[in-house]
Every structure is written in structure tokens, then in C-alpha cells.
Amino acid sequence: CVPIAQAWQIELIDETTLSWEIVLEVYEEALLEIKQANLMLSNKYKKWAVTGLNQGEFCDEYTRDYDILPFRFWYGPGDTLEAGADSLPRIIFRNTSGEKALKAVVENTDYLYEARLLQYQKADNLKMRPGRYPYFKGLIKVEPKS
């Protein structure tokens, strides 16, 4: 059993926007290599963007061996990630925590899910002592088709 839990607070801000806050609750000292906050989206999403930095198209290939790097389209800075599709609402995932060590990630999942991931992650290999630690704070906006 892992001596860690997450407490999520999700709040509806308006008709199209959710606030999402994650706090880690550590019960016994534990080593954490990577912490992530993920949105998994349908493979019908074809375009991605890191606002102000880069954009591209998702390929329709998925790893079978968890060699994810050929299916990773972005890893780096970015406070706002977007995914778009012709027939689905645009998704905007924003890091509002002010935590600059969180990296933005855009990638495909493996072949079992065949999905898109918009993610914020922090790799720090820290031993965490018991306590509560804010991890992620962000917004998820679903923009309906006009």
C-alpha cells in the first residue's frame, strides 16, 4: 500500500471552466520520482498547442512498449495547453499554481487507451515526510463549438 493520497478540490467557476486543486497527503515518508496532473482526451483531438510557444498535430500512432518518447510532442515550459478537433469543443488546460518547476507535456498514450494527454509534471526524486503538500492548481476550460 502506498502511504500517499490525493485530495482534489474541483469547483465550477462558470459554464465552461473548472478549477482543479490537488493536495498530496503523505502518511509515511515516501520517495516520489514524478508527480503529475493529467487530462486524458479522445483520439478525435487532432491538434495541440502550448500557448505562445509551439503547436502541432497529434499522430495516430501509439506505443506498445512504453517507449513514449516518439509519441511525445512537447516537454518543457508552458502555462497553457490546448487541444482541438473539428467536431469537439476546444480544451484549455492551464497551470495557475505559479510553480515554474512543473513541465508541460503533450503526448499520446499507449495503444490500450489510444488517447491524448495534456499534462503537467514535476520530476524531483524527493523523500517526502508526512504532511500535506499543495501539488497542482489549474483551470480546465471547455470551449463549445460556435
Side-chain angles (χ1 to χ4, degrees), residues 71-84:
F71 309 97
R72 180 169 282 175
F73 308 104
W74 181 262
Y75 176 84
D79 289 333
T80 305
L81 301 174
E82 299 180 36

Side-chain angles (χ1 to χ4, degrees), residues 63-78:
T63 184
R64 291 194 167 275
D65 303 316
Y66 206 74
D67 179 12
I68 202 71
L69 291 180
F71 309 97
R72 180 169 282 175
F73 308 104
W74 181 262
Y75 176 84

Side-chain angles (χ1 to χ4, degrees), residues 21-35:
E21 189 169 347
I22 304 171
V23 174
L24 292 178
E25 297 179 357
V26 180
Y27 302 109
E28 296 175 20
E29 188 174 283
L31 176 65
L32 294 182
E33 294 177 17
I34 296 175
K35 297 174 235 158

Side-chain angles (χ1 to χ4, degrees), residues 28-67:
E28 296 175 20
E29 188 174 283
L31 176 65
L32 294 182
E33 294 177 17
I34 296 175
K35 297 174 235 158
Q36 301 174 334
N38 300 287
L39 290 184
M40 185 182 290
L41 305 173
S42 165
N43 64 11
K44 292 179 182 172
Y45 282 91
K46 301 298 183 190
K47 296 179 182 178
W48 62 269
V50 181
T51 304
L53 295 172
N54 203 352
Q55 62 185 6
E57 293 187 12
F58 290 103
C59 69
D60 285 323
E61 299 175 43
Y62 307 89
T63 184
R64 291 194 167 275
D65 303 316
Y66 206 74
D67 179 12

Side-chain angles (χ1 to χ4, degrees), residues 95-101 137:
N95 169 19
T96 61
S97 68
E99 173 67 63
K100 295 302 179 189
K137 188 173 184 178

Side-chain angles (χ1 to χ4, degrees), residues 2 4-5 7 14-15 18-20 22 34 37 40 42 47 49-50 67 70 83 87 116 120 143-144:
V2 179
I4 296 172
D14 60 37
E15 289 182 5
L18 294 170
S19 169
W20 183 24
I22 304 171
I34 296 175
M40 185 182 290
S42 165
K47 296 179 182 178
V50 181
D67 179 12
S87 60
R116 315 307 189 186
Y120 287 99
E143 289 189 345

